[in-house]
């Protein structure tokens, strides 16, 4: 007869062991059982048969990779980080070199950047679960991990934008104002990194789409960040002589964003299976919508001729387009991770390790010899019987 | 230290899965079948650190089959199955799997044909403990370390649950736990190694399909085994990830495998690569991109100044 405590314990744990038989102290001991029926999600079950896959081996169509675990916080963070990073860049440029009468622009940029840095940190923490985990990332500096590098960039960016925004908001003396200007310049530099590193971050994964577009992604994210930042400025115009600055920056950003979406499609399209999520399904629809909205934003900006309502509309389209593109890339990446054939095909087409090996002739030779080389002649006992 | 998993010896008994769960006190995954073969776990995960794949094929594998496909495997193929010095069977199922077919193979209609074209591949899959590990290089907190045994270990007290390693592993091994969000995977039984024992799965494997030991010794054994199999008429036998030369993308695996078919059949990537190996491309592209962004910002500001 179990005590009430034991029964409660067993119920809480849910695993099929009697806690009376021993204490749970092993590596995974604190792991709780998930609800057994909820544990198997639909997508883990056999993929529906596809005629074009006839004859191509896979393990019952089961996913090879784990789906990225990130929730909507992360693509949202990509957007917010891009906006605030690009704002800091534009703000720093107009601070340092701007024509007179654009004080309001740089002020607006500083505030956007600082608010964005705060929101970015909040989104990251929301994804991690608690603030201490954000600090955990700063316990090492690890150049092989773009996420670690990015956390450092974001931290520096946050401090610099806070100082710059503080100097712009508070009635401070000339010394502090100069310090604020210096902080804004630093924020501009960090902001450059902030717009682009997120692209490097997701490219540094095994997700076939992201790995396969590793050159286009960081550039697209930078351009799209700039487009999103100007879209926001169009929505809430600073209203001084900065108008041409914002407009031109917006046109440049929009054009390059559109060009980069094409480049990304081409880079992914080398292996059609990898590019498939960009063409089909919800992710494909989002991707096309992002492109269309970006194009609309460009057309509206060019056609607005200073009309407020059209500029507002351009701002709206630009914001929505930039968001759509990021969510599209995120969603398409998830789908490509769940498709084992995307990985298989990419690697069979020489875009796995062979890609890197080609660039390093020494390794190539090692690879080439492998086929010819007979297995080392062993002097061993029957491995079937030998067991340590 | 490492694992050599010889899939030709695996009988799919799942002793390794169970031993791993018992030693590491991992919760079970429920008792639902996935609806394909006898695999009920399906994939490696936070609570499944060994996973036995069952590949049901419509092609024969020499040395594998049932007494019914005596035609295909030759009349004497199953001689050793009969108990020594015993003419007939002692099985109560004698009528169903009549061993007389071994001596005088007769066509049994559809069953014989189906069985003759049938083979099982089984593979006990595990974290590969890559020499260059994607998870380790990606982890932003330094939670993933290489131990003194050469294995790749996630320190649960440091992991912050960012999930970056999950996407950085080219084999889809490491997984985030649903309840606290931290990443978990095979530890190569770090605690057992510390105590001078072999990992639980290797200890439990009744057929020596999972062999544990110094990596060089394992490589030798593996090469020998491949030779042996090829000599016995299994030309498909091959090693997967046994050395840096054979798998440059990961600089070799510390848990490598002997396979009898393409890696894809076992849900293994044919040419995996640690993502960080390619990431310089990305950093350079980003440098170019942000240089353009900076120039654009400066340019528009300057042009506006000229206009003003
Ligand atoms: S990259 Fe994957 S397979 Fe390699 S050590 Fe890490 S979890 Fe294991
Ligand atoms: S989830 Fe944990 S182990 Fe994985 S990368 Fe993040 S901190 Fe490192």
């Amino acid at each position: 007869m179990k005590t009430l405590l034991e029964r409660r314990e067993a119920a809480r744990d849910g695993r099929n062991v009697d806690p009376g038989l021993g204490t749970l102290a092993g590596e995974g001991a604190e792991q709780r059982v998930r609800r057994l029926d909820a544990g198997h999600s639909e997508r883990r079950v056999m993929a529906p048969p596809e005629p074009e896959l006839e004859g191509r081996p896979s393990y019952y169509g089961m996913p090879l990779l784990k789906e990225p675990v990130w929730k909507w916080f992360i693509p949202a963070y990509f957007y917010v980080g891009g906006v605030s990073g690009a704002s800091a860049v534009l703000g720093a440029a107009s601070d340092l070199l701007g024509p007179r009468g654009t004080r309001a622009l740089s002020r607006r940029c500083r505030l956007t950047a600082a608010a964005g840095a705060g929101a970015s940190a909040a989104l990251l923490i929301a994804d991690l679960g608690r603030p201490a985990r954000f600090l955990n990332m700063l316990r090492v500096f690890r150049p092989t991990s773009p996420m670690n590098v990015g956390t450092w960039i974001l931290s520096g960016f946050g401090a610099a934008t806070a100082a710059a925004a503080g100097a712009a908001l508070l009635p401070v003396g000339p010394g502090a104002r100069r310090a604020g200007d210096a902080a804004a310049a630093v924020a501009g530099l960090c902001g450059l990194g902030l717009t682009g590193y997120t692209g490097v971050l997701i490219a540094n994964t095994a997700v076939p789409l992201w790995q396969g577009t590793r050159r286009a992604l960081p550039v697209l994210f930078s351009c799209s960040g700039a487009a999103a930042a100007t879209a926001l400025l169009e929505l809430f115009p600073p209203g001084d002589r900065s108008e041409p600055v914002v407009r031109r920056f917006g046109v440049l950003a929009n054009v390059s964003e559109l060009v980069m979406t094409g480049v990304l499609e081409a880079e992914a399209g080398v292996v059609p299976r990898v590019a498939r999520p960009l063409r089909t399904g919800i992710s494909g629809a989002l991707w096309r919508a992002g492109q269309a909205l970006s194009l609309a934003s460009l057309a509206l900006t060019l056609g607005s001729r200073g009309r407020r309502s059209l500029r507002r509309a351009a701002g709206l389209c630009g914001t929505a387009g930039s968001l759509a593109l990021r969510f599209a890339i995120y969603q398409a990446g998830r789908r490509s991770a769940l498709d084992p054939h995307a990985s298989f095909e990419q690697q069979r087409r020489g875009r796995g390790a062979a890609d890197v090996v080609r660039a390093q002739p020494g390794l190539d030779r090692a690879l080439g010899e492998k086929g010819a080389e007979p297995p080392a002649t062993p002097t061993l006992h029957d491995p079937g019987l030998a067991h340590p | 230290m490492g694992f050599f998993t010889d899939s030709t010896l695996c009988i799919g008994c799942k002793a390794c899965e169970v031993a791993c769960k018992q030693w590491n006190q991992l919760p079970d995954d429920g008792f639902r079948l996935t609806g394909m073969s006898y695999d009920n776990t399906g994939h490696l995960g936070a609570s499944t650190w060994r996973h036995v794949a069952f590949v049901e094929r419509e092609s024969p594998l020499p040395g594998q089959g049932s007494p019914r496909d005596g035609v295909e495997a030759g009349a004497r193929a199953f001689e050793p199955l009969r108990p020594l010095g015993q003419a007939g069977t002692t099985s109560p199922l004698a009528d169903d799997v009549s061993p007389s077919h071994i001596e005088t193979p007769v066509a049994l209609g559809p069953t014989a044909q189906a069985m003759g074209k049938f083979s099982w591949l089984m593979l006990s899959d595990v974290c590969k403990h890559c020499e260059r590990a994607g998870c380790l290089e990606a982890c932003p907190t330094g939670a993933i370390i290489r131990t003194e045994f050469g294995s790749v270990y996630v320190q649960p007290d440091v992991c912050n649950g960012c999930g970056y390693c999950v996407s950085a592993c080219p084999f889809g091994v490491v997984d985030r736990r649903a309840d606290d969000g931290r990443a978990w995977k095979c530890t190569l039984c770090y605690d057992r190694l510390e105590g001078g024992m072999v990992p639980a799965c290797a200890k439990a494997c009744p057929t020596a399909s999972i062999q544990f030991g110094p990596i060089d010794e394992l490589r030798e054994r593996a090469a020998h085994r491949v030779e042996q199999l090829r000599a016995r008429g299994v030309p498909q036998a091959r090693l997967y990830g046994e050395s840096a030369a054979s798998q440059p993308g990961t600089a070799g695996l510390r848990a490598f495998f002997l396979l009898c078919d393409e890696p894809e059949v076992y849900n293994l990537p044919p040419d995996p690569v640690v993502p960080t190996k390619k990431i310089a491309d990305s950093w350079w592209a980003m440098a170019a991109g942000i240089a353009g962004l900076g120039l654009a910002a400066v340019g528009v500001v300057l042009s506006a100044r000229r206009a003003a």
Side-chain angles (χ1 to χ4, degrees):
Chain A
M1 193 60 204
K2 283 182 190 160
T3 64
L4 178 66
L5 191 68
E6 277 165 351
R7 261 181 288 140
R8 287 199 53 108
E9 176 71 13
R12 189 177 65 93
D13 185 21
R15 66 181 77 200
N16 292 296
V17 288
D18 181 353
L21 288 179
T23 36
L24 291 175
E27 280 281 352
E30 326 130 64
Q31 277 205 54
R32 301 290 162 236
V33 173
R34 38 192 173 165
R35 285 222 332 280
L36 294 184
D37 280 337
H40 286 272
S41 63
E42 290 302 316
R43 57 162 204 277
R44 291 293 183 196
V45 183
M46 270 167 101
E50 288 177 51
E52 82 255 29
L53 291 176
E54 201 58 60
R56 286 196 244 161
S58 83
Y59 187 62
Y60 304 103
M62 299 269 283
L64 164 72
L65 300 172
K66 295 273 175 289
E67 195 181 359
V69 297
W70 304 313
K71 301 266 156 15
W72 64 269
F73 305 117
I74 292 301
Y77 162 65
F78 292 167
Y79 167 78
V80 175
V83 167
S84 62
S87 298
V89 174
L90 188 61
S94 74
D95 257 352
L96 292 176
L97 310 160
R100 297 202 303 150
T102 56
R103 205 65 206 162
L105 172 67
S106 62
R107 191 182 144 98
R108 177 66 49 83
C109 284
R110 284 187 190 189
L111 296 185
T112 313
S120 297
L123 284 168
L124 281 187
I125 288 169
D127 188 61
L128 294 176
R130 52 187 143 87
R133 289 183 166 175
F134 185 83
L135 295 178
N136 219 3
M137 303 241 214
L138 300 174
R139 71 186 269 284
V140 287
F141 179 73
R142 172 170 288 191
T144 59
S145 169
M147 189 179 275
N148 179 274
V149 174
T151 313
W152 283 106
I153 293 179
L154 179 62
S155 305
F157 180 76
T161 50
L169 278 181
L170 304 171
V172 290
R177 186 151 345 110
R178 267 198 298 281
D181 288 349
V186 173
L189 281 179
C190 293
L192 283 175
L194 192 65
T195 59
Y197 98 84
T198 43
V200 185
L201 173 92
I202 61 170
N204 185 38
T205 59
V207 174
L209 179 69
W210 295 344
Q211 195 181 82
T213 56
R214 63 187 179 280
R215 296 186 186 87
L217 270 178
V219 186
L220 171 64
F221 275 25
S222 285
C223 299
S224 181
T230 36
L232 209 62
L233 284 170
E234 296 283 20
L235 276 179
F236 307 100
D240 57 4
R241 293 172 56 200
S242 61
E243 193 183 313
V245 176
V246 175
R247 234 173 75 99
R248 285 174 203 178
F249 194 59
V251 170
L252 270 180
N254 251 324
V255 169
S256 52
E257 182 183 51
L258 278 170
V259 169
M260 282 319 295
T261 58
V263 173
L264 189 132
E265 266 179 45
E267 201 185 0
V270 176
V271 183
R273 184 94 194 166
V274 171
R276 202 168 70 144
L278 289 179
R279 294 191 312 264
T280 59
I282 295 180
S283 51
L286 267 175
W287 178 251
R288 291 280 173 252
Q291 283 176 320
L293 284 164
S294 182
L295 191 64
S297 166
L298 178 64
L300 284 167
T301 312
L302 288 177
S304 67
R305 297 265 149 255
R307 261 178 295 167
R308 272 300 277 281
S309 58
L310 287 187
R311 290 182 53 198
R312 281 253 159 82
L316 269 179
C317 286
T319 305
S322 181
L323 273 167
L325 284 181
R326 280 146 210 267
F327 275 89
I329 287 176
Y330 168 72
Q331 195 56 35
R334 288 178 81 115
R335 277 185 58 208
S336 80
L338 288 178
D339 176 5
H341 292 282
S343 299
F344 296 160
E345 198 168 310
Q346 195 170 37
Q347 297 181 7
R348 285 287 183 203
R349 297 249 187 132
R351 303 199 96 213
D355 223 7
V356 212
V357 171
R358 268 197 298 276
Q360 295 167 19
L363 270 176
D364 207 8
R365 208 166 346 103
L367 240 197
E369 278 165 9
K370 187 201 143 215
E373 172 192 307
T377 335
T379 54
L380 277 171
H381 37 284
D382 186 354
L385 300 174
H387 195 230
Chain B
M1 302 305 243
F3 284 130
F4 164 46
T5 308
D6 181 345
S7 73
T8 57
L9 297 177
C10 180
I11 53 169
C13 68
K14 282 179 172 266
C16 50
E17 271 193 48
V18 175
C20 173
K21 281 201 189 280
Q22 283 196 327
W23 179 264
N24 295 302
Q25 298 176 352
L26 297 166
D28 65 52
D29 302 304
F31 302 101
R32 293 194 12 171
L33 288 168
T34 42
M36 38 124 220
S37 82
Y38 290 112
D39 185 352
N40 67 332
T41 21
H43 47 93
L44 293 168
S47 60
T48 311
W49 298 351
R50 268 272 176 196
H51 158 240
V52 182
F54 288 69
V55 184
E56 222 173 306
R57 297 191 314 164
E58 287 173 0
S59 53
L61 188 67
Q64 239 191 47
S66 86
R68 289 194 175 203
D69 61 355
V71 183
E72 180 264 343
R76 298 170 68 83
F78 294 93
E79 202 90 313
L81 286 182
R82 287 198 297 166
L84 265 181
Q86 214 175 290
T89 177
T90 55
S91 163
L93 299 175
D95 290 339
D96 290 338
V97 278
S98 169
S100 64
H101 298 311
I102 296 171
E103 277 160 34
T104 47
V106 289
L108 279 182
T111 318
Q113 279 190 356
M115 297 299 270
K117 283 210 188 105
F118 181 84
S119 62
W120 276 113
L121 298 181
M122 288 156 202
L123 174 76
S124 179
D125 195 12
V126 70
C127 167
K128 281 78 186 169
H129 297 281
C130 316
E131 293 287 358
R132 267 197 72 179
C135 60
L136 192 154
E137 296 191 1
C139 175
T141 62
I144 306 188
I145 54 164
R146 193 167 295 282
T147 68
E148 66 269 38
F149 305 106
S151 56
V152 175
Y153 180 73
V154 188
Q155 305 174 84
D157 52 337
V158 185
C159 170
N160 70 3
C162 66
Y164 199 22
C165 53
V166 174
S167 294
C169 168
F171 301 95
V173 168
V174 60
D175 193 14
R176 202 156 84 151
R177 219 165 94 179
D179 54 358
D180 71 353
R182 288 180 298 171
W184 293 80
K185 69 169 191 72
C186 159
T187 64
L188 207 94
C189 280
Y190 182 64
D191 48 352
R192 288 176 63 92
L193 296 193
E194 290 267 88
M197 295 185 277
V198 304
C201 54
K203 189 82 188 170
C205 177
T207 63
S209 173
I210 302 173
Q211 305 184 17
F212 172 82
I215 196 90
D216 292 327
E217 197 183 301
L218 291 177
R219 277 193 197 125
E220 259 178 74
R221 252 194 252 179
H224 178 55
R225 176 72 182 158
V226 169
E227 231 178 43
Q228 194 184 46
L229 282 168
R230 290 193 175 155
R232 286 187 195 166
V234 191
Q236 308 96 315
R238 76 201 65 188
L239 296 180
Y240 178 84
E242 83 283 9
S243 66
S246 73
Q247 201 176 89
T250 61
L253 305 175
R254 283 205 166 239
F256 61 97
F257 301 87
L258 190 158
L259 308 179
C260 279
D261 205 335
E262 300 292 331
E264 289 99 321
V265 166
Y266 303 86
N267 217 4
L268 292 170
D271 188 22
V273 59
V274 46
T276 33
K277 224 173 174 158
K278 294 184 161 183
I279 211 56
D281 289 350
S282 266
W283 287 117
W284 284 117
M286 169 182 144
I290 61 178
L293 174 60
L295 283 179
V298 169
V300 293
V301 168
L302 284 182
S303 77
R305 180 146 87 174
R306 178 121 9 100

